Amino acid sequence: MKKQTYILLSILLFITARHAFALQNPVDYVNPLVGSASKSELSTGNTYPAIALPWGMNFWTPQTGKMGDGWTYTYGADKIRGIKQTHQPSPWINDYGQFAVMPVVGKKVFNEEGRASWFSHKAETATPYYYKVYLADHDVTAEISPTSRAASMRITYPQTEAAYFVVDAFDKGSSVTIMPDKRTIVGYTTKNSGGVPDGFKNYFVLRFDHDFTYIGCVEDGKLSDGKTVSTCNHAMAVVGFHTKRGEQVNVQVASSFISNEQALRNLKEVEGKTFDEVKAEGRKEWNNILGRIEVEDNNIDHLRTFYSCLYRSVLFPRTFYELDEQGNPIHYSPYNGKVLSGYLFTDTGFWDTFRSLFPLLNLVYPSINEKMQAGLVNAYKESGFLPEWASPGHRDCMVGNNSASVVADAYIKGLRGYDIETLWKAVTHGANAVHPSVSSTGRKGFDYYNRLGYVPYNVGINESVARTLEYAYDDWCIYQLGLKLGKSAKELKPYNLRAMNYQKVFDKETGLMRGRNEDGSFQTPFNPFKWGDAFTEGNSWHYTWSVFHDPAGLARLMGGYDKFNAMLDSVFQLPPLFDDSYYGFTIHEIREMQIMNMGNYAHGNQPIQHMIYLYDYSGQPWKAQYWVREVMDRLYSAQSDGYCGDEDNGQTSAWYVFSALGFYPVCPGSTQYMIGSPYFHVAKVHLENGKTITLRADKNDKDNRFIQHITMNGQPYPHYYLEHEQLISGPEIDFTMGDKPVK
């Protein structure tokens, strides 16, 4: 009897534990430190802990790196130099609109080396809505909880008459003003790494709940006691307090890209609220956004990885608009320096995020992307081009014209309420022009492409095959959008024809994409393992699959589906050979492929991330199921080294979110999602239209990764794709899983 009772109790505990994992607040599963154990030579995400609201204008992060270092926080660091307001989308793009604050005790040494304090992850709490750290050298605990444009800070000091608070406005031109009677510091910072016009400033205001017992300003390294204003290359403000042990100093801070007055208006996001109230509101907002997707699993690490990825998927593109006195959106334009009405978003590279990040928004968070599309209208009106990489304005980075995909996918999937006709003008203009000073915006080499059907290898335009393949796909997206808008056959004909231009750079001799010279001959010598050169951060084995819109046509070029599948197989079967001579050193993306033990599959970079799902098109979906699980099991975790390459503004995370649900948008601009291998026992996607997608996977575990049978709403479902219209109707989809592939 005792044995039976024990077994029954064990079963009940297992069921309770399983459902406990599903019913807790989703934000509690998020680890913002995932991906922070990175360096320039090897990326495990190249992330920093973004303490922010979803799509917030301002992020906050502990700063372990030196001022101006793109690796602002690294997990292996020992010291914190400050709590930094950041707008950095990646270490490679670096930051703008940045300044730091730091509580200090005892010494009047306020440069970043002198004020830095040892810390431990054991005395650090990092959540999306709240950060806390013990600064050991100062015996101080610092806490921060943000809103979109403001934040509340709480500093717990020891007993001392030398408690200080430093505001570091950074170099390259900054200003601070201390107003003791108002317990306030105001100022601005201009430090940025590009993408801004002349006159750019980030204005900030800090308001304290304690009188100042000390004031001083630092002007280019020199501290002046009693000074209240500093405007120079590198300005800092320092205020002091007499504190008892455990006494808390509260600081409310906000900033604006528009003006000091707007910064004060943004401060209203936290005015009249206690620290704990701001913290509770942030927690509620994160639970609301993350809770749009509910997943159940008896492996808590799976939940941690999933929600950490979902957290990264809803940070960028960030809000770049503010609210005027009437609550209307206004923005400082990084394109022309004017303050204008309307929405604007920034800090994303479409080369990365068109693939799955924007499709995730279109399915789960369409209302926010409708605002982003309205922001793209403004970006086009203010600069003459849609951005391809924005931070905060146009940045010269990556290739392709993938704004066309971002615009087309949103409209085709039903998003409305913005000026689509202006966006139509924008995508057709961008397909036939290049920005006069930012060559990655528009289409570099468009004249060759439009005349020859490809960008030649030998005309001085690097990464020519990558450009050709992406332009062809983007032309297909423009064509699909034009069909939806009812444009004439005459207007659409060029885009319909150019969508097939991928064929122009396919080499039948090797069965791979290959650089082609202006005279029509293919480049020689040709090494399919050579990274860069004709490709972008990848090689021919990676980029050959960038025919998102016509896998069947690619298979025909290869000689049929048997050869197509053999080529897909080869990516995993080949050793991780590489030729890095184009770069002159082994770039981190190459190293990440080399060490993952998946052959020449390079999931750490974007070009090949959709490739696994191509098995669905070619009659071998069980291989997609196998490899999707391998990637999720082996290349993602909720640890500090939890990615296998750059996370890249939500793209690599959104791949995981979609794949864990069991389907993936191989071709944005179409309405299809290809089926992989659902990761969870139960997943529910709560849509904005009030419907819920319910996905159940019976017998689902590490060994049972293969789909045996699918039903939709109780009826057998024979396809290995799902339609967008099916999903937004809120279907119930049941997968029966097993340990053997169904061929």
Side-chain angles (χ1 to χ4, degrees), residues 553-570:
L554 179 60
R556 283 194 296 273
L557 288 178
M558 289 182 172
Y561 280 124
D562 287 345
K563 291 185 178 179
F564 181 82
N565 286 325
M567 293 293 282
L568 285 169
D569 294 343
S570 295

Side-chain angles (χ1 to χ4, degrees), residues 710-724:
I710 306 173
T711 65
M712 182 181 291
N713 298 325
Q715 299 300 313
Y717 189 76
H719 307 296
Y720 278 92
Y721 64 88
L722 299 168
E723 286 283 351
H724 187 73

Side-chain angles (χ1 to χ4, degrees), residues 85-87 95-99 189-192 200 202 257:
Q85 185 186 100
T86 179
H87 300 90
D95 210 347
Y96 66 92
Q98 54 192 304
F99 65 94
T189 175
T190 67
K191 188 174 181 66
N192 67 83
F200 164 82
N202 184 32
F257 295 106

Side-chain angles (χ1 to χ4, degrees), residues 398-400 444-445 455-468 471 532-536 582-583:
M398 310 313 290
V399 304
K444 188 174 184 178
V455 179
Y457 176 78
N458 63 337
V459 295
I461 299 177
N462 293 336
E463 302 166 21
S464 58
V465 175
R467 295 178 194 276
T468 300
Y471 294 168
D533 193 29
F535 304 97
T536 301
Y582 173 76
Y583 302 103

Side-chain angles (χ1 to χ4, degrees), residues 149 262 265-266 269 321-325 327-330:
R149 303 169 187 87
Q262 183 64 41
R265 190 172 294 127
N266 293 345
E269 292 184 355
Y321 68 89
E322 304 172 50
L323 302 175
D324 66 13
E325 283 185 288
N328 300 313
I330 56 175

